[in-house]
Amino acid sequence: MKKLLFSLAFVCLTLVSNQAISQTIQNRNYSTVGYLKDDGTVQNENYSTIGYIKTDGTVQNSNYSTVGYIKDDGTIQNSNYSTIGYIKTDGTIQNENYSTIGYIKSDGTMQNSNYSTIGYAKDVKNHTDAAAAVFFFFFRLN
């Protein structure tokens, strides 16, 4: 399960294309670790495409294989449609058992469940952007 979450997190973070960068993802030391593009392309810090988030919420890896889904209500599912987490409207991030695993603040600051800052998602615009950042920070950096 953790391997799947890592894959989904990594793919979600790297949403970027040849268009302008819509979101920069930084770790707690302010080092850029990825970019989220307006067209749903996810890139790593070297601008290599590692995945895509489609407008319907489908998350794909760089080979266009579906690895998960981000639902409009903030539910996060794996490729088998099993729920693996939730993003609440107040920024609370929960796992599939509804245990709080972290928070995303309105300024894009990402925190773990102990309120320690683990990263930043600049220019957060909606829960899809937040979902991409949340996956990366909570399932890759911790």
Side-chain angles (χ1 to χ4, degrees):
M1 178 73 160
K2 284 194 177 207
K3 188 173 183 179
L4 174 66
L5 292 175
F6 172 79
S7 297
L8 186 56
F10 197 66
V11 168
C12 286
L13 171 66
T14 49
L15 267 179
V16 189
S17 75
N18 294 328
Q19 295 180 2
I21 295 169
S22 63
Q23 189 177 61
T24 300
I25 308 299
Q26 298 174 317
N27 65 19
R28 68 175 164 250
N29 298 319
Y30 297 98
S31 296
T32 298
V33 294
Y35 305 95
L36 306 174
K37 294 275 192 152
D38 285 334
D39 72 348
T41 303
V42 181
Q43 294 177 329
N44 65 17
E45 68 276 10
N46 298 316
Y47 300 98
S48 296
T49 298
I50 59 171
Y52 306 91
I53 297 179
K54 303 296 185 179
T55 55
D56 66 356
T58 300
V59 180
Q60 299 175 325
N61 64 19
S62 61
N63 296 320
Y64 299 99
S65 296
T66 298
V67 296
Y69 305 91
I70 302 170
K71 301 295 183 181
D72 288 337
D73 65 357
T75 300
I76 307 299
Q77 298 175 325
N78 65 18
S79 61
N80 296 323
Y81 297 97
S82 295
T83 298
I84 58 174
Y86 305 91
I87 302 168
K88 301 296 187 181
T89 56
D90 66 355
T92 300
I93 310 306
Q94 297 175 325
N95 66 16
E96 69 276 10
N97 298 318
Y98 298 99
S99 296
T100 298
I101 59 171
Y103 308 90
I104 182 166
K105 298 173 84 178
S106 60
D107 66 357
T109 300
M110 305 296 298
Q111 298 175 324
N112 64 18
S113 60
N114 296 321
Y115 299 98
S116 296
T117 298
I118 60 171
Y120 306 91
K122 292 184 176 181
D123 303 318
V124 171
K125 290 182 243 168
N126 58 46
H127 85 270
T128 301
D129 283 349
V134 166
F135 267 113
F136 181 79
F137 288 118
F138 291 104
F139 301 112
R140 185 174 186 280
L141 291 183
N142 278 351

